[in-house]
Amino acid sequence: MPGMKGSITPTQAARLLGIGGSSVRRWIDSGELPARRTPGGHRRIASIDLEKFASSHGMALQADPHRMARRDSAPPLVLVVDDDEALLRSLKKTFETELKEFRFHFTSDGFEAGMIAMRERPFLLLVDFRMPGVDGITVCRTVRRLLGGAEVCRIAAITSYSDDQNLRAEFWAAGGDHIQTKPLNLNEIVAFVRATAVKLSVSKIANSMVV
C-alpha cells in the first residue's frame, strides 16, 4: 500500500509519546494526527507525521519512530536461549531450513537474551530452565516485564526438568506459557513455532515476506 512504509501503530505511537492509547486514537479520529488504514482495517501512522505532531504540540518522543518502524517491518523474531551449544546448532539448522518466514536469534547468555528481547521484541521466546549466570526463570520474568503479556510474546521452556514441580511453579509464576520436554522433537518444535505465530497473528506478516 503506497505511503505505508515507515509507519507505526497507534499503540507504538502512544508508547513513543509517553501517553495513553486513548489519546492517540482521539487525535486520529479528530484528524489532528494523520493515519492511514491497512487493507485489513488497521490504522498506521507515518513516522514523519508523528514527529511533526509531537513537535507542533511541544511533546518529546521517547525513542526514534523511524527505527521502530524499520524494526517492525522485519520478519517476526523467535529468540532461543540455551547453554547447550549442540542443541542450539541443531535448532538453528532446522529452523533456518523449515521456517524461512521468520528471523531467529540464538544465544547461551541469559543477560544477552534480555537485551535482545528489549531491542528486538520477539513474538516467541524458547528458554532453558537451568543455565549458568542468569537462569531461564529470570530470563522469563525479565522478558515478561519488558514486553508485556502472552498476547505480545509467548514464552516456552525447553528443559530436561519438566517433572520438577518447583521449577514448573516458578516458571508459571514468572509468566511462562508452555513447556517442551527434552530431548526435543524437532518436528513438534517447528509446528509449535508456526502455531504460536498464528495465535499471535504474526503468520500473515511473515508469509508476506517470504521471497
Side-chain angles (χ1 to χ4, degrees), residues 125-189:
L125 167 68
L126 300 174
V127 60
D128 191 13
F129 274 153
R130 292 187 172 173
M131 298 184 295
V134 179
D135 63 30
I137 301 296
T138 302
V139 173
C140 176
R141 189 178 296 113
T142 299
V143 169
R144 185 57 77 217
R145 185 182 72 250
L146 290 172
L147 301 189
E151 73 281 359
V152 175
C153 176
R154 296 292 172 96
I155 301 176
I158 46 177
T159 181
S160 302
Y161 300 94
S162 59
D163 292 333
D164 187 321
Q165 296 305 313
N166 289 331
L167 276 176
R168 291 175 69 95
E170 285 188 69
F171 178 64
W172 303 134
D177 303 298
H178 181 78
I179 296 176
Q180 287 280 149
T181 303
K182 293 178 180 178
L184 299 177
N185 181 311
L186 295 178
N187 289 331
E188 288 183 1
I189 289 290

Side-chain angles (χ1 to χ4, degrees), residues 8-22 24 45 50 62:
I8 58 177
T9 68
T11 298
Q12 292 170 331
R15 189 162 68 243
L16 287 168
L17 292 168
I19 60 173
S22 60
V24 172
I45 303 161
L50 183 65
Q62 299 182 13

Side-chain angles (χ1 to χ4, degrees), residues 19-156:
I19 60 173
S22 60
S23 296
V24 172
R25 290 190 293 272
R26 187 167 59 249
W27 290 328
I28 292 174
D29 290 339
S30 69
E32 291 182 74
L33 178 57
R36 299 180 177 87
R37 286 195 180 273
T38 68
H42 302 291
R43 291 188 285 196
R44 294 292 183 267
I45 303 161
S47 302
I48 191 169
D49 286 337
L50 183 65
E51 287 184 315
K52 290 177 180 178
F53 178 87
S55 176
S56 66
H57 288 74
M59 304 173 74
L61 294 173
Q62 299 182 13
D64 181 355
H66 299 284
R67 181 179 177 183
M68 179 177 283
R70 288 194 300 271
R71 182 197 66 202
D72 289 347
S73 67
L77 175 70
V78 178
L79 175 58
V80 186
V81 192
D82 199 305
D83 64 329
D84 184 338
E85 295 293 342
L87 176 61
L88 289 183
R89 287 194 297 271
S90 178
L91 288 174
K92 185 175 190 296
K93 181 179 178 181
T94 299
F95 286 173
E96 292 182 351
T97 300
E98 301 294 332
L99 296 166
K100 294 180 180 179
E101 64 267 40
F102 302 104
R103 290 182 299 143
F104 297 93
H105 198 114
F106 302 86
T107 180
S108 58
D109 187 312
F111 179 78
E112 182 187 27
M115 299 299 292
I116 295 167
M118 181 171 60
R119 183 177 68 246
E120 301 291 340
R121 303 184 71 82
F123 78 91
L124 175 61
L125 167 68
L126 300 174
V127 60
D128 191 13
F129 274 153
R130 292 187 172 173
M131 298 184 295
V134 179
D135 63 30
I137 301 296
T138 302
V139 173
C140 176
R141 189 178 296 113
T142 299
V143 169
R144 185 57 77 217
R145 185 182 72 250
L146 290 172
L147 301 189
E151 73 281 359
V152 175
C153 176
R154 296 292 172 96
I155 301 176

